[in-house]
Amino acid sequence: KRKRQWSLQDFEIGKPLGKGKFGRVYLAREVKSKYIVALKVIFKEQIEKYRIHHQLKREMEIQTSLRHPNILRLYGWFHDDERIFLILEYAHGGELYRELRKKGYLSEKQAATYIGSLTNALAYCHKKDVIHRDIKPENLLLDHEGRLKIADFGWSVQSRSKRHTMCGTLDYLAPEMVENKAHDYAVDNWTLGILCYEFIYGAPPFEAENQTDTFRRIMKVDLTFPSDPPVSAEAKNLISRLLVKDSSKRLPLQKIMDHPWILKNADPMGICK
Ligand SMILES: COc1ccc(/C=N/Nc2[nH]nc(C)c2C(=O)Nc2cccc(NC(C)=O)c2)cc1
């Protein structure tokens, strides 16, 4: 069927959801269908200024081609003289990051459910030759059922509340990324290890006072498990098998799904097959 051409007249704009370097995100409703979406507005002058035209184009082509329950949909886009509008799936729960900060850290069941969803979404991406989804807690949204949605275009949006300075943090980068080596699918396995640790302990494993120390801790894989909160041996086992410097030795995605900690703790309903 012919691709529908959208324009601003097709939408009623609601409250702003958050703002970022390149623009803002608004709640919006498609007039005819009354369908609720999130409308991301990116200013063309910002695209020129930061020379990100090709990156934006690639990210949008990738995002449009992905269809997975744990990946936020990009339904389409349109533009006017000064702005580009992305028509995105609306995830009612907002950033997973906010829930993590509010609770401090998540239960092992909650953490395992999110890791299971992420693993499924990444296995789907890898099957479609899409790697390095740049997964960080603020690129993860929750829908009205609390299901995880990977929402990254690489444009992290700043919510109206004060933002932690995520851009520029090395915390989530694998050693080969930090060393700017060619990276392959296995960087995503490393990131899953970082996120699993952060969900359970409330902070990423190699956090340090400054980037140099974080860099050193990543390169050394300086992994320690605090005694508080108490964490199961299975969880530590999974984290230790993902945060491995040699990317070829990281636990493959399929093995993560079959790991005892996931099998025992993840809520199958939270993991969309
Ligand atoms: C500030 O409190 C909020 C609570 C919930 C939301 C829900 N956002 N849901 C979204 N669905 N699709 C997209 C894209 C978004 C989105 O970008 N949300 C967003 C954007 C910027 C900041 C935040 N911040 C938080 C805390 O969720 C969310 C947004 C803001």
Side-chain angles (χ1 to χ4, degrees), residues 17-18 25 38 72 88-95 98 141 157-159:
L17 294 174
V25 188
L72 200 79
L88 288 156
E89 177 182 353
Y90 175 60
H92 182 76
E95 284 182 344
R98 191 171 56 155
L141 295 172
V157 282
Q158 316 293 320
S159 70

Side-chain angles (χ1 to χ4, degrees), residues 7-8 41-44 78-85:
S7 79
L8 207 44
V41 184
I42 304 173
F43 292 96
K44 289 183 177 176
F78 55 92
H79 64 97
D80 63 15
D81 295 349
E82 64 272 354
R83 296 165 293 185
I84 290 181
F85 299 86

